[in-house]
Amino acid sequence: MKKFTLFFVLLGTSVFAHAGAMGIVKERMDGMKAIGASLKSVAPMMTGKVEFDPALAEQASQVIIEHSGQNMIDRFPEGSEGGVSEAANTIWENPEAFAEIAFELEKLAAEIPNADLSAEARLQLFQDIGQTCKDCHSDYRIEN
């Protein structure tokens, strides 16, 4: 349960960071907010609290995919650090590792609509997604 609480605390802190963001920084902040909202929308079914909803799972998956992988990488061009950005310089210092996390999130998100997953596998998938987000925030985000 602690993992889920920390996961949602991390997602909730992004709301305050949007003040004054413009251009690509605002785009990526909005993308992260969309990822968080999508994960929050599927949390009850991924954790077994409600029945699996294929339509909701597909919708959340598509939103996360839209904002992960290469799309996420493209929202962090060199020179977009500083200001209201919460992006740590490690993104540009180690772009291969950042890309690995972005593509891992995309891969995991594609599994969300898989109706054949057992309840245990679905929970593990959700935990893996949460850990991927946490790892990225730990290494590539400046906490305010």
Side-chain angles (χ1 to χ4, degrees):
M1 191 62 176
K2 286 182 181 180
K3 286 182 182 180
F4 296 120
T5 302
L6 175 61
F7 181 56
F8 288 115
V9 167
L10 288 172
L11 294 174
T13 59
S14 68
V15 173
F16 300 108
H18 290 243
M22 298 183 316
I24 196 74
V25 173
K26 181 163 180 11
E27 284 180 36
R28 69 181 178 229
M29 287 179 165
D30 289 346
M32 297 298 175
K33 187 176 178 182
I35 290 171
S38 293
L39 289 171
K40 191 173 182 178
S41 75
V42 296
M45 72 179 172
M46 297 299 285
T47 58
K49 292 184 170 87
V50 300
E51 190 174 323
F52 183 74
D53 178 344
L56 179 59
E58 180 64 33
Q59 178 184 13
S61 173
Q62 290 306 310
V63 168
I64 297 166
I65 289 169
E66 176 185 341
H67 297 288
S68 60
Q70 189 63 48
N71 292 328
M72 181 180 286
I73 295 163
D74 291 345
R75 289 192 177 106
F76 288 88
E78 286 210 35
S80 64
E81 63 272 19
V84 297
S85 174
E86 295 177 330
N89 287 336
T90 51
I91 291 172
W92 298 279
E93 293 166 359
N94 195 355
E96 295 83 14
F98 178 70
E100 189 175 311
I101 289 178
F103 285 115
E104 179 66 12
L105 179 59
E106 181 180 52
K107 182 184 94 174
L108 292 169
E111 286 298 311
I112 293 172
N114 186 347
D116 294 331
L117 292 177
S118 67
E120 294 81 17
R122 190 167 286 117
L123 176 59
Q124 184 61 57
L125 173 62
F126 191 67
Q127 290 173 338
D128 291 347
I129 292 170
Q131 187 63 52
T132 300
C133 293
K134 181 181 174 195
D135 290 346
C136 191
H137 286 194
S138 295
D139 295 340
Y140 302 105
R141 180 178 180 205
I142 299 168
E143 296 295 330
N144 294 327

